[in-house]
Structure formats: structure tokens, C-alpha cells
Amino acid sequence: MKSDYNKVLIILFVLGINSSFVPKIYRSFIKVEKLNTNLKVLKEEKKDILKSINTYEEKKEKLNINYYKEEIARNYLKMVKPGEQIYKVIK
């Protein structure tokens, strides 16, 4: 009878310990999943930022070529050379 009582106490003790640790472990798994999700999002943002940096680096390198400098001056800044006439095609 006493050994059955000890077994029940041991089982209750083990269940008590498990009931205090299992929720903490579960919350830890949830936190890890959230962090992994955030990490994936941040890696995608990093890829996009690196891609835009490469694009701007290419544009910066093109500015060393006189043709592109002239193209920017004409198209974006609407500049013309002295004595030059601009014609616009109207559809």
C-alpha cells in the first residue's frame, strides 16, 4: 500500500514539474518561429536593398560617360546647346 502511495506521489511530482516547464517550452518555440519569420523578412529586405544599391552604382558609373551626361541634361533637365532648336512630335 505504501509503495502505491509513493508511486502516486512520484507521478504527481513529475506531472507538476512538467506542467510548469511545458508552457515555457511552448512559448519559446513560438518565439523562435516568430524570430525565424522576421529573419526571413529581413533577408528579403536586404536583398532588395542590395539590388537597389547595385542599380545606383551602375547609374553612378554611367555618369562618367559623356553620352549619358548629355542624355540626362537633355531629357530630365530640358537643356539645349546654344543655337539648337527643339522639335516636339505631337500625335
Side-chain angles (χ1 to χ4, degrees):
M1 186 74 172
K2 187 154 176 130
S3 78
D4 290 338
Y5 181 72
N6 285 339
K7 288 180 182 177
V8 169
L9 281 179
I10 291 173
I11 291 172
L12 287 175
F13 180 73
V14 170
L15 288 175
I17 290 175
N18 284 341
S19 66
S20 66
F21 289 120
V22 169
K24 291 178 183 177
I25 292 171
Y26 177 72
R27 282 193 300 268
S28 295
F29 280 122
I30 298 297
K31 287 180 183 178
V32 167
E33 286 300 316
K34 285 182 181 179
L35 289 173
N36 283 335
T37 303
N38 287 341
L39 182 64
K40 287 178 185 177
V41 168
L42 289 174
K43 283 182 179 180
E44 288 297 322
E45 288 179 4
K46 181 181 175 183
K47 280 183 188 177
D48 292 341
I49 290 171
L50 289 176
K51 190 183 290 185
S52 64
I53 287 173
N54 288 336
T55 302
Y56 286 118
E57 287 293 328
E58 289 172 4
K59 287 182 180 181
K60 183 178 146 185
E61 289 175 8
K62 285 182 180 180
L63 286 177
N64 293 330
I65 301 170
N66 288 334
Y67 173 79
Y68 289 107
K69 286 182 190 177
E70 184 177 342
E71 181 181 7
I72 290 172
R74 289 177 180 275
N75 294 336
Y76 297 109
L77 303 176
K78 306 297 183 204
M79 299 177 89
V80 295
K81 292 181 179 179
E84 189 177 47
Q85 293 183 354
I86 302 295
Y87 298 99
K88 288 187 179 184
V89 177
I90 300 174
K91 293 183 179 182

